[in-house]
Amino acid sequence: MVLMFLNGDGMRGGRLHDQLAGAPLLRTARTAPKYRYYSVGDRFPAMVTTETEGRAVTGEVYDVPLETLRDNLIPAEPPELELGLIELDDGTACLATVLRHNHLDSPELIDISHIGDWRTYRTAT
């Protein structure tokens, strides 16, 4: 089992939540303020570590079996994302999907770091 931070449609009520195959929700959480947060063409969110002007991102932490990660979550992710290690605001390390660095110059990126919450962003758009 691994800690997995979700910040998009895999969260409760999201269209991809079933990909978790019943993995238990441990808590809602925020990342450390080290990330820029983007909407990728209003299709899904993506975060990336930054050295300057980082913000916290809101999400949920799940206890996910490695088999669920391998068989369900990772195959369902868009090609712009990859598995990475992130830090929560309490110092906890978690896996999360993050933006691949070769997509940082994509014209589809909309910086939503000031919002830091995919659900809030989607409600506002």
Side-chain angles (χ1 to χ4, degrees):
M1 304 286 245
V2 297
L3 296 179
M4 183 74 185
F5 178 79
L6 299 177
N7 60 71
D9 288 331
M11 294 188 293
R12 290 172 293 167
R15 62 183 176 83
L16 300 176
H17 185 71
D18 289 344
Q19 297 292 336
L20 289 169
L25 170 68
L26 298 179
R27 62 186 168 121
T28 57
R30 291 178 58 81
T31 66
K34 298 180 169 187
Y35 303 93
R36 298 305 296 172
Y37 195 48
Y38 299 97
S39 169
V40 182
D42 284 340
R43 294 177 290 127
F44 56 88
M47 52 185 207
V48 65
T49 304
T50 185
E51 296 294 322
T52 60
E53 298 184 42
R55 302 286 181 99
V57 175
T58 300
E60 299 173 343
V61 177
Y62 289 85
D63 192 10
V64 180
L66 284 172
E67 295 79 11
T68 300
L69 190 63
R70 178 195 66 207
D71 298 339
N72 297 355
L73 290 176
I74 298 305
E77 292 296 339
E80 295 91 342
L81 300 180
E82 64 185 357
L83 197 60
L85 191 60
I86 59 110
E87 181 181 348
L88 299 181
D89 62 359
D90 66 358
T92 302
C94 284
L95 292 178
T97 53
V98 296
L99 185 66
R100 292 179 189 268
H101 284 280
N102 63 338
H103 289 282
L104 280 170
D105 59 354
S106 170
E108 285 194 297
L109 295 183
I110 302 164
D111 192 333
I112 60 171
S113 301
H114 62 289
I115 298 171
D117 184 318
W118 182 242
R119 290 177 177 150
T120 300
Y121 172 74
R122 295 294 288 169
T123 301
T125 57

